Amino acid sequence: MDDFEEIEGLRQGNERSFHKLLDIYSENIYNLCLSILQNQEDAEDTTQEVFSTVFLSIKEFKGESKLSTWMYRITVNKCQEHIRKKNRKKRFGFLTSIENSENAQLSPSFLHPGVELENKERASILFSAIDRLPENQKIAFTLHKIEGIAYEDVAIAMDLSLSSVESLMFRAKQNLKKSLGDYYEKNER
Amino acid sequence: METKQDQWINETMKSMDSKKAVGISDRLRQRLELIPNEVSVYNVVIPMRSVYLAAASFALLITINLLAIKNNTQQHKAETNLETEYFSYLNQL
């Protein structure tokens, strides 16, 4: 069932097994954090938190799902914690009401380092629109559409049913099309 | 027919399709490699004295609570006895 052969070594706190885990998964987890958090520093910090949690909690991993899916679940939880912490801080900020207002325009600012130059600007607009989505829609869309994770694994990672994920994806697409449409009306015409 | 706006939206929605995975920096790799040491050090660093102190505090807390409950029960019993005696005295009258 599993995709990583050194789980036993990890359970015993073996450093070599942990380095092997890093070789295989560190890039995936970092990219996932980067797409969800849209900030390189935050993504690095969260990646470190994820691997610390994996190292400490590997004994609790029962092997009912793939190790990668279990790690996605930890990543999603850590990213959600990070987003909530950030939002809590923002609430005290002066510009919160303007920034969070639904009518506020998209403000593309995040340039994903993995996107080709010709698509950078559009991807930045898309990321800005994704950032405006409700948390669950944002995470489902990022996991599936941006990171290419299968619906089944997204459902496990988010602790939701498959149909809930499908519904989240449908609503996310609708909302994105709407905010991109509004952006087009105001800026691209 | 697809309008110019629809075309723009669709292209924007697809702008991430050709995204490449971003490699992690050497700095992050180093941070990640240090995790087993940091976690182990963290485990060793907790002094046993603190553990015993915490356990003793809990034991003390539980003892105080038990004594308080015991005292309360005795006091309640005494009050009940007094009341019973008083009412039986009233009944005799």
Side-chain angles (χ1 to χ4, degrees), chain A residues 69 139-140 143-144 149-160 165:
Chain A
T69 315
I139 287 171
L143 288 173
H144 180 66
I149 298 169
Y151 272 162
E152 289 80 4
D153 291 337
V154 175
I156 298 171
M158 294 184 73
D159 200 16
L160 294 171
V165 173

Side-chain angles (χ1 to χ4, degrees), chain A residues 42-84:
Chain A
D42 292 347
E44 289 194 355
D45 291 344
T46 310
T47 304
Q48 189 179 2
E49 280 179 36
V50 170
F51 279 99
S52 298
T53 308
V54 168
F55 186 77
L56 287 170
S57 326
I58 191 70
K59 283 173 189 161
E60 290 161 30
F61 174 65
K62 295 181 187 97
E64 286 164 358
S65 63
K66 286 187 284 184
L67 181 69
S68 53
T69 315
W70 182 70
M71 287 175 69
Y72 289 148
R73 191 171 186 157
I74 294 174
T75 310
V76 166
N77 286 338
K78 291 286 172 196
C79 287
Q80 280 177 324
E81 270 174 33
H82 190 92
I83 292 168
R84 282 169 200 162

Side-chain angles (χ1 to χ4, degrees), chain B residues 24-42:
Chain B
I24 63 166
S25 65
D26 291 343
R27 196 172 51 112
L28 177 60
R29 175 78 197 193
Q30 277 176 354
R31 279 167 67 183
L32 297 177
E33 283 180 355
L34 284 175
I35 288 171
N37 300 331
E38 281 174 356
V39 169
S40 313
V41 168
Y42 178 73

Side-chain angles (χ1 to χ4, degrees), chain A residues 87-127:
Chain A
N87 286 344
R88 241 177 279 141
K89 274 186 195 164
K90 256 191 189 177
R91 260 177 232 142
F92 295 103
F94 177 65
L95 293 172
T96 310
S97 56
I98 301 168
E99 273 181 14
N100 284 354
S101 132
E102 277 182 20
N103 297 325
Q105 267 210 50
L106 299 181
S107 48
S109 57
F110 173 60
L111 296 172
H112 194 293
V115 176
E116 288 165 354
L117 197 64
E118 65 207 59
N119 283 329
K120 268 211 169 15
E121 199 186 326
R122 289 219 174 162
S124 177
I125 297 167
L126 178 63
F127 266 117

Side-chain angles (χ1 to χ4, degrees), chain A residues 153-170:
Chain A
D153 291 337
V154 175
I156 298 171
M158 294 184 73
D159 200 16
L160 294 171
S161 67
L162 199 61
S163 55
S164 303
V165 173
E166 283 168 350
S167 152
L168 278 175
M169 281 298 294
F170 177 77

